[in-house]
Amino acid sequence: MSRMDRLLHLDRTLDQLDPPAWGSPAADATHLVRKVHALRRVPLGQLGPADLRTLVSQQVALPYVLPLAVRLLLEEPLLDAYFYEGDLLLAAVNAPASAWARLPDLGARLCTLVSALPEPAVARLPTGATEELARFVRWADSLPSTR
Protein backbone atom coordinates (compact mmCIF):
# COMPACT_ATOMS: atom_id res chain seq x y z
CA MET A 1 0.00 0.00 0.00
CA SER A 2 1.45 3.35 -1.02
CA ARG A 3 1.73 6.38 1.25
CA MET A 4 -1.09 8.08 -0.70
CA ASP A 5 -3.34 5.05 -0.23
CA ARG A 6 -2.73 5.17 3.53
CA LEU A 7 -3.59 8.87 3.54
CA LEU A 8 -6.83 8.08 1.74
CA HIS A 9 -7.68 5.42 4.37
CA LEU A 10 -8.41 2.84 1.67
CA ASP A 11 -8.59 0.00 4.18
CA ARG A 12 -11.29 1.70 6.27
CA THR A 13 -15.00 2.25 5.74
CA LEU A 14 -17.02 5.46 5.83
CA ASP A 15 -18.79 4.18 8.93
CA GLN A 16 -15.34 4.06 10.59
CA LEU A 17 -14.09 7.38 9.22
CA ASP A 18 -17.30 9.42 9.35
CA PRO A 19 -19.05 8.58 12.63
CA PRO A 20 -21.54 7.79 13.76
CA ALA A 21 -22.02 4.53 11.90
CA TRP A 22 -25.33 4.53 10.13
CA GLY A 23 -26.43 1.00 10.91
CA SER A 24 -29.17 -0.69 8.94
CA PRO A 25 -31.68 1.34 6.95
CA ALA A 26 -35.37 1.30 7.79
CA ALA A 27 -37.34 -1.67 6.49
CA ASP A 28 -39.24 0.53 4.04
CA ALA A 29 -36.14 2.39 2.78
CA THR A 30 -35.72 2.98 -0.93
CA HIS A 31 -33.18 1.07 -2.99
CA LEU A 32 -30.94 4.15 -3.05
CA VAL A 33 -31.01 4.53 0.74
CA ARG A 34 -30.21 0.83 1.20
CA LYS A 35 -27.35 1.13 -1.30
CA VAL A 36 -25.82 4.17 0.42
CA HIS A 37 -26.04 2.48 3.81
CA ALA A 38 -24.33 -0.60 2.37
CA LEU A 39 -21.61 1.48 0.68
CA ARG A 40 -20.70 3.07 4.02
CA ARG A 41 -19.61 -0.41 5.18
CA VAL A 42 -17.32 -1.09 2.18
CA PRO A 43 -13.59 -0.31 2.55
CA LEU A 44 -12.82 2.82 0.52
CA GLY A 45 -10.32 0.94 -1.63
CA GLN A 46 -13.08 -1.37 -2.81
CA LEU A 47 -15.47 1.37 -3.92
CA GLY A 48 -15.87 1.46 -7.68
CA PRO A 49 -16.65 4.42 -9.93
CA ALA A 50 -20.42 3.84 -9.72
CA ASP A 51 -20.22 3.65 -5.93
CA LEU A 52 -18.29 6.92 -5.78
CA ARG A 53 -20.78 8.59 -8.12
CA THR A 54 -23.62 7.49 -5.86
CA LEU A 55 -21.90 8.72 -2.69
CA VAL A 56 -20.84 12.05 -4.21
CA SER A 57 -24.30 12.63 -5.70
CA GLN A 58 -25.89 11.91 -2.33
CA GLN A 59 -23.31 14.14 -0.57
CA VAL A 60 -22.17 11.39 1.77
CA ALA A 61 -18.81 11.80 3.56
CA LEU A 62 -17.48 14.11 0.84
CA PRO A 63 -14.10 14.80 2.53
CA TYR A 64 -13.32 11.09 2.05
CA VAL A 65 -15.16 10.40 -1.20
CA LEU A 66 -14.21 13.43 -3.33
CA PRO A 67 -10.46 12.67 -3.23
CA LEU A 68 -11.17 9.17 -4.51
CA ALA A 69 -13.43 10.49 -7.25
CA VAL A 70 -10.89 13.11 -8.34
CA ARG A 71 -8.16 10.47 -8.39
CA LEU A 72 -10.22 8.54 -10.96
CA LEU A 73 -11.13 11.67 -12.90
CA LEU A 74 -7.49 12.72 -13.25
CA GLU A 75 -6.92 9.43 -15.07
CA GLU A 76 -10.14 9.49 -17.10
CA PRO A 77 -12.02 12.81 -16.91
CA LEU A 78 -15.13 11.68 -18.74
CA LEU A 79 -15.35 8.30 -17.05
CA ASP A 80 -18.72 6.60 -17.48
CA ALA A 81 -19.26 5.55 -13.88
CA TYR A 82 -22.76 4.20 -14.32
CA PHE A 83 -25.24 6.30 -16.29
CA TYR A 84 -23.34 8.15 -19.03
CA GLU A 85 -19.94 9.49 -20.05
CA GLY A 86 -18.93 12.18 -17.57
CA ASP A 87 -21.43 11.27 -14.86
CA LEU A 88 -18.79 11.08 -12.11
CA LEU A 89 -17.31 14.41 -13.22
CA LEU A 90 -20.70 16.12 -13.13
CA ALA A 91 -21.44 14.65 -9.71
CA ALA A 92 -18.10 16.01 -8.47
CA VAL A 93 -18.51 19.53 -9.86
CA ASN A 94 -21.99 19.66 -8.35
CA ALA A 95 -20.75 18.83 -4.87
CA PRO A 96 -21.44 21.74 -2.50
CA ALA A 97 -18.96 24.60 -2.42
CA SER A 98 -18.52 23.92 1.31
CA ALA A 99 -17.09 20.48 0.52
CA TRP A 100 -14.66 21.88 -2.03
CA ALA A 101 -13.68 24.69 0.36
CA ARG A 102 -12.32 21.97 2.68
CA LEU A 103 -10.32 20.52 -0.25
CA PRO A 104 -9.02 23.60 -2.11
CA ASP A 105 -5.98 21.94 -3.71
CA LEU A 106 -8.12 19.10 -4.97
CA GLY A 107 -10.69 21.59 -6.28
CA ALA A 108 -7.93 23.45 -8.10
CA ARG A 109 -6.74 20.23 -9.72
CA LEU A 110 -10.26 19.41 -10.85
CA CYS A 111 -10.69 22.97 -12.13
CA THR A 112 -7.53 22.61 -14.22
CA LEU A 113 -8.80 19.30 -15.59
CA VAL A 114 -12.24 20.74 -16.44
CA SER A 115 -10.68 23.78 -18.12
CA ALA A 116 -8.60 21.51 -20.35
CA LEU A 117 -11.49 19.34 -21.57
CA PRO A 118 -11.86 19.49 -25.34
CA GLU A 119 -15.01 21.32 -26.39
CA PRO A 120 -16.31 18.45 -28.60
CA ALA A 121 -16.16 16.10 -25.60
CA VAL A 122 -18.02 18.59 -23.40
CA ALA A 123 -20.63 19.06 -26.12
CA ARG A 124 -21.46 15.33 -25.93
CA LEU A 125 -22.39 15.61 -22.24
CA PRO A 126 -26.04 15.94 -21.19
CA THR A 127 -27.93 19.20 -21.51
CA GLY A 128 -26.80 21.69 -18.90
CA ALA A 129 -23.41 20.07 -18.33
CA THR A 130 -21.49 22.88 -20.03
CA GLU A 131 -23.04 25.39 -17.65
CA GLU A 132 -22.35 23.18 -14.61
CA LEU A 133 -18.69 22.80 -15.59
CA ALA A 134 -18.34 26.54 -16.27
CA ARG A 135 -19.94 27.36 -12.92
CA PHE A 136 -17.44 25.10 -11.12
CA VAL A 137 -14.49 26.67 -12.95
CA ARG A 138 -15.71 30.20 -12.14
CA TRP A 139 -16.13 29.27 -8.50
CA ALA A 140 -12.74 27.51 -8.28
CA ASP A 141 -11.00 30.39 -10.06
CA SER A 142 -12.41 32.80 -7.48
CA LEU A 143 -10.67 31.02 -4.60
CA PRO A 144 -7.43 32.67 -3.48
CA SER A 145 -5.57 29.36 -3.20
CA THR A 146 -6.36 28.05 -6.68
CA ARG A 147 -3.95 28.18 -9.55
Side-chain angles (χ1 to χ4, degrees), residues 78-101:
L78 297 176
L79 174 70
D80 180 343
Y82 188 75
F83 290 116
Y84 53 84
E85 182 180 49
D87 58 353
L88 180 59
L89 176 62
L90 291 175
V93 301
N94 283 305
S98 59
W100 286 113

Side-chain angles (χ1 to χ4, degrees), residues 52-64:
L52 293 172
R53 188 208 51 79
T54 297
L55 292 166
V56 171
S57 295
Q58 295 303 307
Q59 301 181 16
V60 174
L62 291 175
Y64 300 101

